[in-house]
Amino acid sequence: MQEVYEFLKACGTYYLATVEGDQPRVRPFGTVDIFDGKLYIQTGKIKEVSKQLHANPKAEICAFMNGQWIRVAGNLISDDRREAKAHMLDAFPNLRAMYNEDDGNTEVFYFENAVATISSFTAAPKTITF
């Protein structure tokens, strides 16, 4: 999981895919954190992505960097603990202009049953489960 975190952190931007009914939805994200032994992302409860994940937690992340790409698939589970939100916001202090752990809007999700695959055109894919 640490390798997945480091890859996503180094990319800066990754793309998160969710499902809305039968329609895939993809958008850029940048938050990634490890807390309590789990890989987390962050969003706002008022956003459509939050509503989509609550309706169907299946999600996938994709990012590309230096000739390699990563895909992380699994379920994203909401964690409403103040400590989890604070940890994320401390890792991304620039978000504190829009969010805080007590605002009722900040939401963090962690991956459950995740499978990450790191691929390139020149090497065999590497699979990481967590």
Side-chain angles (χ1 to χ4, degrees):
M1 182 176 50
Q2 183 69 32
E3 185 176 356
V4 173
Y5 166 78
E6 289 172 8
F7 192 107
L8 293 172
K9 187 81 171 168
C11 284
T13 301
Y14 59 85
Y15 296 88
L16 173 67
T18 59
V19 178
E20 185 175 58
D22 66 350
Q23 178 63 49
R25 302 289 182 193
V26 180
R27 79 280 291 152
F29 261 67
T31 54
V32 63
D33 194 21
I34 293 178
F35 175 73
D36 203 18
K38 298 174 182 158
L39 188 73
Y40 280 77
I41 67 167
Q42 182 273 335
T43 192
K45 289 181 180 180
I46 62 170
K47 294 184 176 181
E48 292 300 313
V49 66
S50 171
K51 296 169 191 167
Q52 292 157 5
L53 288 170
H54 282 280
N56 182 348
K58 290 182 181 180
E60 189 162 300
I61 284 174
C62 185
F64 182 84
M65 176 182 68
N66 299 330
Q68 291 186 306
W69 58 94
I70 189 169
R71 292 174 59 195
V72 185
N75 295 325
L76 281 171
I77 308 302
S78 180
D79 184 345
D80 207 32
R81 292 180 296 164
R82 185 182 192 281
E83 299 81 10
K85 297 175 199 177
H87 197 273
M88 176 66 77
L89 294 173
D90 288 346
F92 292 88
N94 59 324
L95 290 177
R96 289 198 173 274
M98 299 178 292
Y99 297 102
N100 77 67
E101 51 271 35
D102 299 313
D103 64 9
N105 181 42
T106 300
E107 186 165 36
V108 293
F109 291 86
Y110 64 87
F111 267 102
E112 179 181 76
N113 301 321
V115 177
T117 306
I118 300 173
S119 302
S120 75
F121 291 117
T122 59
K126 179 178 185 178
T127 301
I128 302 164
T129 58
F130 56 95

